[in-house]
Amino acid sequence: MMRGSKGYYSGTRSLLRKPTRARGKPQIGKLLHPYEAGNQVIIKMNSSVQKSMPHKRFHGKIGQIIEKRGRAYVISVPQGEATKTIIVRPDHLEPYTGQ
């Protein structure tokens, strides 16, 4: 009997699935959105772009941008009592409006 896989993307079948008409490359406006330090963002993984994709535990979380590093952003995300720092490209970010 084989054990279940414990890979990086295990258990993400429904998490990374996109609706039929949303498949393909991301929209250019999403990539060009200007983020600044202190802005709050929603981490929403885009499965069509694997580069700089955060871990599945951060999907749907709200974090705060600390700085820009190259093409990516350094984001601080609260997780329980700890605060994690992750590096994510804007493909996997959405602006948080604070509803």
Side-chain angles (χ1 to χ4, degrees):
M1 194 159 120
M2 293 184 67
R3 288 194 330 221
S5 172
K6 300 295 181 192
Y8 201 72
Y9 297 125
S10 66
T12 60
R13 176 177 289 181
S14 62
L15 187 74
L16 297 179
R17 183 179 289 151
K18 291 174 150 186
T20 305
R21 295 189 183 273
R23 292 184 184 175
K25 293 184 179 179
Q27 298 170 351
I28 191 80
K30 189 172 184 180
L31 302 176
L32 297 176
H33 190 279
Y35 295 107
E36 296 178 8
N39 287 5
Q40 285 192 314
V41 290
I42 303 169
I43 300 166
K44 191 171 178 186
M45 295 162 57
N46 184 353
S47 57
S48 64
V49 181
Q50 288 81 34
K51 195 172 257 192
S52 181
M53 187 185 286
H55 192 270
K56 62 185 177 183
R57 77 168 62 100
F58 298 111
H59 183 78
K61 300 281 189 280
I62 297 170
Q64 188 169 14
I65 294 181
I66 299 172
E67 63 173 317
K68 183 163 183 176
R69 189 176 294 183
R71 296 179 185 177
Y73 294 94
V74 180
I75 301 172
S76 109
V77 184
Q79 185 183 10
E81 294 180 8
T83 303
K84 302 288 185 174
T85 303
I86 58 174
I87 301 171
V88 182
R89 283 194 173 182
D91 305 315
H92 310 291
L93 299 176
E94 285 185 3
Y96 179 66
T97 56
Q99 302 157 354

